């Protein structure tokens, strides 16, 4: 019989993390396959282009969350900041000036 190791207790099954922009909460995709695709875009060896930012945006935010974000009418610089913050949130890297964390 094959050996079975139960690792369930080591895994985190909580809901997806969220960003807050103004009074809008945005759920962020944190599944591994999405983040691997984002990391591939970040690690292509060249500078990040606007099309890369849009691709990461579409990967990191589910469609409903993108609609909420689109309604905020952010300028491109702020849009990039939101996308970068979402990636940082999921990967666990710190951003300068990060807002408060919910308990």
């Amino acid at each position: 019989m094959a050996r079975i190791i139960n690792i369930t207790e080591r895994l985190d099954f909580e809901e997806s993390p969220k960003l807050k922009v103004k009074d809008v909460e945005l759920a962020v995709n944190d599944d591994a396959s999405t983040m691997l695709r984002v990391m591939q875009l970040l690690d292509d060896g060249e500078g990040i282009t606007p099309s890369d930012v849009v691709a990461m945006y579409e990967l990191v935010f589910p469609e409903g969350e993108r609609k909420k974000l689109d309604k905020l009418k952010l300028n491109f610089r702020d849009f990039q900041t939101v996308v970068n913050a979402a990636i940082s949130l999921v990967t666990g890297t710190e951003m300068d000036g990060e807002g408060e964390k919910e308990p």
Side-chain angles (χ1 to χ4, degrees):
M1 183 187 277
R3 181 176 170 183
I4 298 174
I5 299 172
N6 186 347
I7 63 166
T8 304
E9 292 177 3
R10 298 182 203 170
L11 304 177
D12 181 7
F13 292 103
E14 293 182 22
E15 64 183 57
S16 295
K18 294 181 181 179
L19 288 179
K20 187 171 183 177
V21 178
K22 294 188 177 186
D23 291 329
V24 178
E25 287 190 3
L26 304 162
V28 178
N29 282 332
D30 65 344
D31 61 276
S33 62
T34 296
M35 292 317 300
L36 288 171
R37 286 185 267 160
V38 168
M39 288 168 37
Q40 185 176 24
L41 285 169
L42 291 171
D43 192 34
D44 69 358
E46 298 181 19
I48 302 297
T49 66
S51 62
D52 291 334
V53 175
V54 171
M56 287 185 276
Y57 165 68
E58 291 174 348
L59 287 167
V60 172
F61 292 105
E63 184 177 354
E65 304 306 292
R66 291 195 307 262
K67 288 179 182 179
K68 289 189 227 177
L69 193 52
D70 289 346
K71 288 180 184 178
L72 293 173
K73 301 287 186 197
L74 300 174
N75 64 42
F76 189 69
R77 187 175 181 168
D78 290 344
F79 176 80
Q80 285 180 292
T81 300
V82 171
V83 173
N84 289 337
I87 293 167
S88 294
L89 177 65
V90 174
T91 60
T93 58
E94 295 290 327
M95 281 188 62
D96 290 337
E98 189 173 335
E100 64 187 61
K101 295 180 182 178
E102 297 293 323

